[in-house]
Amino acid sequence: MITTKPTLFLKIEDLIKSLNTETISSERKTVLQPLTDFIQSKVSGNQEIRINFICTHNSRRSHLSQVWAQTMANYFNIKNVFCYSGGTESTALFPMVAETLQNSGFQINTISKNENPIYSIKYADNEHPIIGFSKKLDDDFNPKSEFVAIMTCDSANEACPFVPGAKKRIPITFEDPKAFDNTPQQAEKYNERSLQIATELFYVFSQINS
């Protein structure tokens, strides 16, 4: 049976094609390598790949990472990849994150409006949407075992030396765009962080031999 490559929304596909992995330093590539190795081992063993991106509040960086990782797996046609996100505590997905993703071509719909809104985030017509909302890392929405925990912020990395159920725990931390909230640079800095995460996850998935 021939499997065809899924089609992403055109704006997302164009953005991905514009990413430049030469902006990633050799030191940073070393930081990313354990995630590449984990994914490759699962692909080689024909096993499901579960990746849980963890940050303190599950409001910004962990969501951007979850969404871009799922999108990159789709872009490179790597099957059985399931991406999640969680926090050491739950707050709310910050609206600027949803806006940044929407500006990048994702289709965002608000399913529920409350203190912790629930978003449907789509990257392709024929793929399940990612359900975005803030949750603790052990929420029932997340896997209980057989996953890799990616620590996307220093405070969560320090607060969680052990993540229950994780096969592996890998710190891949990003600077928090929250520092620019309510400033003239807010949109620019959120987009900058989103593009960094997209570029690095593009690099990771581009290394996988399927």
Side-chain angles (χ1 to χ4, degrees), residues 58-99:
N58 189 211
S59 58
R60 293 170 176 82
R61 290 163 285 180
S62 48
H63 282 290
L64 289 170
S65 300
Q66 175 190 5
V67 170
W68 278 119
Q70 195 70 62
T71 304
M72 293 305 174
N74 191 287
Y75 181 79
F76 286 102
N77 207 17
I78 298 169
K79 304 296 185 186
N80 299 316
V81 178
F82 304 96
C83 297
Y84 307 85
S85 67
T88 53
E89 57 187 277
S90 66
T91 52
L93 192 159
F94 192 63
M96 194 66 214
V97 170
E99 188 176 321

Side-chain angles (χ1 to χ4, degrees), residues 40-156:
Q40 185 64 67
S41 70
K42 291 291 187 181
V43 169
S44 300
N46 199 27
Q47 296 173 298
E48 292 182 340
I49 302 150
R50 294 184 179 85
I51 309 172
N52 195 359
F53 294 93
I54 296 167
C55 205
T56 304
H57 300 116
N58 189 211
S59 58
R60 293 170 176 82
R61 290 163 285 180
S62 48
H63 282 290
L64 289 170
S65 300
Q66 175 190 5
V67 170
W68 278 119
Q70 195 70 62
T71 304
M72 293 305 174
N74 191 287
Y75 181 79
F76 286 102
N77 207 17
I78 298 169
K79 304 296 185 186
N80 299 316
V81 178
F82 304 96
C83 297
Y84 307 85
S85 67
T88 53
E89 57 187 277
S90 66
T91 52
L93 192 159
F94 192 63
M96 194 66 214
V97 170
E99 188 176 321
T100 300
L101 290 169
Q102 190 162 33
N103 290 340
S104 297
F106 291 88
Q107 191 180 92
I108 310 285
N109 287 305
T110 307
I111 298 172
S112 167
K113 293 182 180 180
N114 49 38
E115 288 183 6
N116 185 5
I118 302 172
Y119 298 90
S120 159
I121 305 165
K122 288 199 78 169
Y123 52 86
D125 276 326
N126 291 338
E127 298 298 319
H128 283 296
I130 297 160
I131 304 302
F133 67 100
S134 184
K135 70 203 85 65
K136 291 184 74 171
L137 59 94
D138 59 354
D139 188 273
D140 285 341
F141 216 75
N142 287 340
K144 303 301 179 194
S145 63
E146 301 299 318
F147 65 93
V148 60
I150 305 299
M151 317 307 289
T152 62
C153 73
D154 288 325
S155 55

